[in-house]
Amino acid sequence: QVQLVESGGGLVQAGGSLRLSCAASGNIFSINAMGWYRQAPGKQRELVATITSGGRTKYAYPVKGRFTISRDNAKNTVYLQMNSLKPEDTAVYYCNADIQHSAYDFGNDYWGQGTEVTVSS
């Protein structure tokens, strides 16, 4: 019913920048919170940043001041600008969205397929 398609991952040197995008499409009435999570090899998936439909943001401590989450509600797209990247930021980054299919729907949790970010030292 809904697809989340991420893009923008890749290989970058420490100190560099990347911008991730995630576009939602399909049966969408409205999108509530959107966010980015990441999973490093051998570790659990963890929150990176979230943004509400009104633009209120929240960040995990390790990325505060370096990453910026934003969204374009007209395009059903969320972005993650990542600056001053560190090797410990290496992970698969996943997009998440809470999507309503109608006005009577409380919301449904969707995930993207993931995009890989590798930061070399």
Side-chain angles (χ1 to χ4, degrees):
Q1 285 183 315
V2 169
Q3 275 193 316
L4 299 182
V5 179
E6 298 129 332
S7 60
L11 173 65
V12 64
Q13 285 190 328
S17 298
L18 282 175
R19 188 191 194 212
L20 306 183
S21 300
C22 172
S25 62
N27 181 18
I28 298 171
F29 173 76
S30 69
I31 303 179
N32 301 319
M34 303 184 82
W36 290 94
Y37 292 72
R38 67 186 182 186
Q39 187 167 16
K43 294 189 176 181
Q44 288 189 333
R45 191 174 297 190
E46 62 179 9
L47 170 74
V48 176
T50 60
I51 184 167
T52 66
S53 57
R56 189 165 63 245
T57 59
K58 182 171 70 174
Y59 296 92
Y61 179 79
V63 307
K64 257 183 186 177
R66 300 188 296 122
F67 292 10
T68 302
I69 188 170
S70 61
R71 63 191 281 175
D72 184 332
N73 291 330
K75 295 181 179 179
N76 290 336
T77 300
V78 63
Y79 305 96
L80 186 68
Q81 178 66 43
M82 305 186 293
N83 298 329
S84 303
L85 282 160
K86 304 176 181 179
E88 51 262 46
D89 294 318
T90 295
V92 178
Y93 283 70
Y94 296 90
C95 171
N96 173 261
D98 179 33
I99 294 174
Q100 290 180 250
H101 300 304
S102 74
Y104 308 102
D105 186 1
F106 286 109
N108 305 273
D109 201 36
Y110 288 93
W111 292 89
Q113 81 286 354
T115 185
E116 194 161 353
V117 172
T118 304
V119 184
S120 64
S121 56

